[in-house]
């Protein structure tokens, strides 16, 4: 790029700053294509140069192959760009996967959601991206493999991708062997039983007086199954979360809008030194916005940590397990901001003094840094809340959000 005139360099730099979601006009494409070899040293330009290829021109396709042969390896985030629906040529997508093989495993795990989404845009079931993800999932079965399984399984209801995702799941489970496969089999049983419990509550919603009895009976039957047949089970949210039974006395059933059932479930931790796990199970309610939003929070929080920014954001696990079904981790002893506001007559400081058991400096630091963190990310990604009921405060004074209404 140093060989280019200053005026042209400025145009190219402005073009480089354009969002991947912005379309290039014909002038932009000609400018990039004519200077393609001069721009290859800067990996930021490659995705935009590849958008200039005229696939109906055989000469351009030959040039494309030459470009990819001499192009520098891309960072993980740029590989994701080449795996979206704008880039359908097999050579481009294979180049992206080739670069991904050089990426740290932690980045593959972090961007697994986007990589699985990229499978939708592959022309054939047999493709390099699928082979790469299956290879990593089998090699790391309880980290990448665990999320790989549930992210695919939760989208099996989509008919356009049912055969493809089903094939990948079958290959994955066959390569794992019986011992590891049992982990996923048991988790499937857990989710089936939670759905049955939720549907039973829905069927008997008119009998409010007996609803607690129905719930207790359903949980008791499942606990017996856990004790006699299954033993300890991990949760789809996170393989590290292993449970022994459901503590029915600490659970709650919420039915909204006639057919949306939410179960607040207190699981007894299989680790006798660990705290019990408070989880929200959603039936007939789409929580994909929660999944994507928390995913974005995790990425931004990682960037802040890498740059030594001491911004605190309470992050929790979210996983969809089927069509309009899923699990969300809850923080015990957290309170809704609205509830605190009314109970304490808008005196938030008084609530902190009574509940946090920390110094005033630590309370102020936790509250302000978490408030700043969520506010900045919500502003950048246009994440909005419909009401204050979705704003919560932990017992260490950190603020967090739930039930996201709008994203981008």
């Amino acid at each position: 790029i140093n060989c280019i005139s200053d005026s042209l360099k400025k145009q190219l730099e402005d073009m480089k700053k354009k969002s991947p979601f912005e379309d290039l006009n014909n002038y932009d494409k000609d400018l990039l294509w004519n200077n393609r070899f001069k721009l290859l040293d800067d990996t930021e330009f490659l995705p935009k140069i590849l958008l200039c290829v005229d696939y109906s021109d055989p000469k351009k396709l030959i040039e494309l192959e030459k470009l990819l042969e001499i192009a520098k390896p891309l960072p993980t985030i740029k590989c994701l760009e080449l795996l979206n629906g704008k880039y359908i040529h097999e050579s481009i997508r294979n180049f992206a996967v080739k670069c991904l093989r050089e990426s740290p495993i932690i980045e593959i795990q972090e961007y697994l959601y986007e990589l699985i989404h990229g499978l939708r845009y592959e022309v054939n079931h047999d493709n390099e991206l699928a082979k790469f993800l299956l290879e990593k999932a089998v090699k790391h079965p309880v980290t990448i493999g665990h999320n790989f399984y549930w992210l695919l399984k939760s989208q099996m209801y989509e008919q356009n991708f049912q055969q493809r995702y089903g094939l990948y799941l079958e290959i994955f489970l066959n390569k794992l062997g019986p011992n590891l496969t049992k982990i996923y089999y048991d988790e499937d049983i857990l989710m089936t039983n939670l759905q049955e419990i939720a549907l039973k509550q829905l069927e008997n919603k008119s009998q409010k007086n007996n609803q607690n009895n129905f719930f207790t009976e359903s949980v008791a039957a499942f606990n017996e199954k856990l004790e006699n047949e299954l033993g300890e089970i991990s949760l789809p949210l996170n393989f590290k979360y292993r449970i022994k039974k459901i503590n029915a006395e600490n659970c709650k059933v919420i039915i909204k809008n006639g057919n949306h059932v939410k179960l607040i479930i207190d699981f007894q931790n299989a680790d006798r030194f660990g705290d019990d796990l408070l989880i929200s199970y959603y039936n007939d309610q789409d929580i994909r916005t929660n999944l994507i939003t928390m995913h974005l929070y995790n990425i931004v929080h990682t960037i802040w940590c890498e740059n030594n920014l001491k911004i605190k954001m309470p992050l929790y696990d979210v996983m969809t397990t089927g069509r309009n079904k899923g699990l969300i981790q809850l923080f015990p002893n957290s309170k809704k901001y609205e509830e605190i506001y009314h109970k304490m007559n808008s005196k938030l400081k008084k609530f902190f003094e009574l509940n946090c058991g920390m110094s005033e400096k630590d309370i102020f630091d936790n509250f302000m840094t978490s408030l700043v963190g969520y506010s900045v990310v919500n502003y950048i990604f246009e994440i909005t809340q419909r009401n204050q009921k979705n704003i919560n405060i932990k017992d260490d004074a950190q603020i967090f959000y739930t039930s996201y209404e709008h994203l981008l």
Side-chain angles (χ1 to χ4, degrees):
I1 196 169
N2 293 326
C3 305
I4 300 173
S5 65
D6 290 341
S7 60
L8 189 56
K9 190 185 295 185
K10 187 178 184 305
Q11 290 181 59
L12 290 167
E13 286 295 334
D14 290 340
M15 210 178 299
K16 184 171 75 170
K17 293 175 184 176
K18 281 189 176 183
S19 164
F21 301 105
E22 290 185 62
D23 291 328
L24 298 173
N25 58 40
N26 289 334
Y27 174 78
D28 291 341
K29 288 182 177 180
D30 288 340
L31 189 61
L32 285 166
W33 185 253
N34 292 334
N35 292 280
R36 59 192 181 279
F37 291 110
K38 297 175 183 177
L39 299 173
L40 278 182
D41 282 342
D42 189 340
T43 56
E44 291 286 328
F45 279 110
L46 185 60
K48 289 180 169 58
I49 293 171
L50 296 177
L51 286 174
C52 306
V53 179
D54 180 2
Y55 296 109
S56 63
D57 185 344
K59 291 182 180 178
K60 291 283 182 73
L61 291 177
I62 293 171
E63 285 295 306
L64 168 64
E65 299 295 340
K66 288 180 181 177
L67 273 174
L68 294 176
E69 282 180 13
I70 61 175
K72 289 184 174 181
L74 297 180
T76 307
I77 196 72
K78 283 296 169 186
C79 293
L80 300 180
E81 196 174 331
L82 297 187
L83 293 171
N84 69 31
K86 286 185 177 181
Y87 304 88
I88 58 171
H89 197 278
E90 187 178 18
S91 295
I92 295 176
R93 302 183 73 83
N94 289 351
F95 172 77
V97 176
K98 179 184 174 183
C99 295
L100 282 173
R101 292 189 178 279
E102 305 301 320
S103 299
I105 194 65
I106 191 70
E107 290 187 5
I108 302 301
Q109 186 174 347
E110 187 171 14
Y111 294 110
L112 187 61
Y113 182 88
E114 287 83 2
L115 291 170
I116 286 177
H117 190 75
L119 292 170
R120 293 168 173 256
Y121 305 114
E122 295 293 344
V123 177
N124 303 307
H125 294 343
D126 184 8
N127 58 78
E128 290 303 311
L129 177 59
K131 291 175 183 175
F132 171 75
L133 290 175
L134 282 165
E135 175 189 314
K136 296 299 180 184
V138 172
K139 190 174 181 179
H140 307 276
V142 296
T143 50
I144 291 177
H146 192 256
N147 288 343
F148 175 81
Y149 176 84
W150 281 108
L151 288 171
L152 285 181
K153 188 174 176 63
S154 64
Q155 300 175 69
M156 283 290 288
Y157 66 88
E158 297 188 50
Q159 290 188 356
N160 290 339
F161 307 106
Q162 201 172 69
Q163 186 185 57
R164 175 170 293 188
Y165 291 169
L167 174 64
Y168 298 156
L169 286 171
E170 185 179 353
I171 293 170
F172 172 63
L173 293 174
N174 284 340
K175 285 183 174 291
L176 283 186
N179 292 333
L180 286 171
T181 301
K182 186 179 184 300
I183 293 170
Y184 302 99
Y185 171 76
D186 289 346
E187 288 182 7
D188 279 330
I189 292 176
L190 170 64
M191 297 314 301
T192 301
N193 278 270
L194 290 181
Q195 183 180 2
E196 289 173 357
I197 292 171
L199 292 175
K200 194 167 185 179
Q201 297 305 303
L202 198 59
E203 290 170 6
N204 298 288
K205 65 179 179 179
S206 58
Q207 303 180 44
K208 291 185 178 180
N209 294 333
N210 295 321
Q211 202 167 55
N212 285 338
N213 293 333
F214 290 130
F215 181 76
T216 304
E217 289 172 7
S218 300
V219 169
F222 178 63
N223 281 340
E224 186 178 347
K225 191 179 211 177
L226 270 173
E227 185 177 353
N228 298 330
E229 299 176 29
L230 303 173
E232 298 177 5
I233 292 182
S234 55
L235 293 178
L237 274 176
N238 192 319
F239 176 77
K240 295 177 183 177
Y241 301 154
R242 299 189 65 79
I243 57 106
K244 287 183 71 174
K245 69 172 187 175
I246 296 174
N247 299 318
E249 64 277 7
N250 299 329
C251 298
K252 187 178 179 181
V253 179
I254 301 170
I255 300 177
K256 291 183 178 180
N257 303 326
N259 60 349
H260 296 324
V261 183
K262 180 166 79 169
L263 303 178
I264 309 296
I265 306 172
D266 182 28
F267 287 108
Q268 182 179 324
N269 199 326
D271 180 0
R272 62 193 181 96
F273 297 108
D275 296 329
D276 287 348
L277 302 163
L278 195 62
I279 306 295
S280 208
Y281 169 75
Y282 289 82
N283 187 70
D284 201 28
Q285 188 169 339
D286 192 351
I287 64 167
R288 286 177 298 177
T289 306
N290 294 67
L291 175 66
I292 296 168
T293 305
M294 195 49 56
H295 176 57
L296 290 172
Y297 285 163
N298 271 284
I299 292 172
V300 174
H301 189 257
T302 300
I303 294 170
W304 283 339
C305 290
E306 288 172 350
N307 289 275
N308 297 318
L309 294 174
K310 296 179 180 179
I311 297 177
K312 297 174 182 176
M313 289 182 69
L315 304 172
Y316 50 88
D317 291 308
V318 181
M319 181 57 74
T320 55
T321 57
R323 185 172 191 174
N324 296 334
K325 297 178 183 64
L327 300 170
I328 296 180
Q329 179 190 10
L330 301 176
F331 293 115
N333 304 319
S334 62
K335 301 287 184 184
K336 292 184 180 297
Y337 170 75
E338 187 182 55
E339 178 186 331
I340 298 169
Y341 185 86
H342 292 300
K343 190 174 180 180
M344 297 295 175
N345 296 320
S346 75
K347 295 178 180 177
L348 198 57
K349 185 178 178 181
K350 185 179 178 182
F351 168 79
F352 291 149
E353 290 173 350
L354 293 173
N355 295 274
C356 291
M358 302 164 64
S359 69
E360 187 174 331
K361 181 182 180 301
D362 289 339
I363 290 172
F364 180 81
D365 180 61
N366 283 356
F367 180 75
M368 290 307 297
T369 54
S370 59
L371 178 61
V372 167
Y374 273 97
S375 299
V376 169
V377 182
N378 288 355
Y379 176 77
I380 293 170
F381 293 111
E382 298 180 25
I383 300 168
T384 60
Q385 298 287 339
R386 185 175 294 175
N387 54 55
Q388 291 186 346
K389 291 180 180 178
N390 297 329
I391 302 174
N392 301 264
I393 299 177
K394 289 177 63 186
D395 57 1
D396 62 358
Q398 292 189 52
I399 194 169
F400 67 99
Y401 292 77
T402 57
S403 301
Y404 303 92
E405 305 293 345
H406 175 74
L407 172 63
L408 292 174

